[in-house]
Amino acid sequence: MHNITTKLFTHVEKSVVSKFGEEGEALIQKGVENFGFKDAEIIATQGTVDGENHTLFNYIPLNHSMENKYQNLTIYALMAKLFAQISKAVVDRFGEQGKDAVREGVRTFGEERGRGIAQRARVNGEVNSRENYLTNYDMGRSELFTYTTEYKPGEIEQNFTVCPFGQQWADDDMHEYGILYCQMIDPAVAKGFNPEFEVEHDKYILKDGNCHFRFKLADKK
């Protein structure tokens, strides 16, 4: 999960800086500082150990004096907090344009992950079909998630009633920023896995109390 967290950071950072330049860099720096340099450093270090080439270290001063604030939080909660702080800094300054930049970063992040899932399926001797999507997924569904999965003709239906990302954003009153991730991530991952995937995400935990998905992909004839 640390490598996924640093990958997400890198994609959002790239999108924000591409759109807003040096001011975007300054806002990313502010978001990392608000999250906490020490906690970000721990994530960045483990992300590197996990093999991810990321940009998080670029925003952490070498000689900072911050202490670890979140020793008892899971990496899911930390990922949610870091994303929210970065998004808040950008959105509070640039409004809808900021939201679009953050969402674009989530989209490219998701599609890269989806392509990686497709490669994992191939290594396992499988095609990027509907049945092989979740079985090769790159993020473990720990006991922190509560959900159901039903395989139906032409689609997979999932319903999440507990999500550690959504719960953390709700606990921190960061709904406005967390929803930017929720709006983009699953369609992007599925599209990266197979461009013919269609994803209907009609309910969100942050709005409706549950996340409901229909992943639609017809069988090849």
Side-chain angles (χ1 to χ4, degrees), residues 6-159:
T6 53
K7 186 191 298 288
L8 172 62
F9 176 90
T10 300
H11 278 267
V12 173
E13 184 262 352
K14 180 179 180 180
S15 179
V16 169
V17 173
S18 175
K19 190 171 184 66
F20 303 118
E22 291 184 358
E23 188 170 4
E25 289 183 350
L27 292 169
I28 295 289
Q29 180 86 57
K30 178 182 177 183
V32 174
E33 182 174 9
N34 289 341
F35 171 72
F37 289 141
K38 184 61 178 178
D39 297 274
E41 186 174 49
I42 292 170
I43 293 171
T45 299
Q46 188 59 50
T48 300
V49 170
D50 291 345
E52 187 65 29
N53 183 17
H54 59 83
T55 60
L56 182 52
F57 273 128
N58 297 347
Y59 293 86
I60 306 169
L62 284 172
N63 299 314
H64 69 81
S65 59
M66 283 192 175
E67 297 181 355
N68 183 205
K69 296 189 295 184
Y70 304 124
Q71 297 181 41
N72 298 319
L73 291 186
T74 69
I75 184 56
Y76 299 95
L78 293 172
M79 179 171 157
K81 279 182 170 289
L82 178 59
F83 176 82
Q85 289 295 344
I86 294 165
S87 300
K88 184 179 190 308
V90 175
V91 171
D92 287 0
R93 169 65 181 87
F94 289 110
E96 287 301 320
Q97 284 189 316
K99 289 181 179 180
D100 287 343
V102 171
R103 281 191 287 247
E104 175 62 12
V106 176
R107 183 190 68 79
T108 60
F109 160 74
E111 290 190 358
E112 181 179 323
R113 283 181 52 201
R115 290 190 292 271
I117 296 168
Q119 288 181 5
R120 181 182 296 187
R122 179 168 178 167
V123 168
N124 291 330
E126 300 171 345
V127 297
N128 57 341
S129 66
R130 185 179 66 254
E131 292 78 6
N132 297 327
Y133 178 54
L134 295 179
T135 56
N136 289 286
Y137 205 69
D138 63 340
M139 182 185 293
R141 298 301 194 196
S142 76
E143 70 280 357
L144 299 173
F145 293 88
T146 301
Y147 63 99
T148 59
T149 302
E150 292 185 65
Y151 287 84
K152 298 181 177 181
E155 69 177 52
I156 306 168
E157 184 174 14
Q158 283 196 307
N159 189 60

Side-chain angles (χ1 to χ4, degrees), residues 183-200:
Q183 289 169 341
M184 301 301 295
I185 186 59
D186 287 280
V189 176
K191 187 70 68 175
F193 176 76
N194 189 320
E196 296 181 11
F197 240 134
E198 295 180 12
V199 180
E200 179 182 303

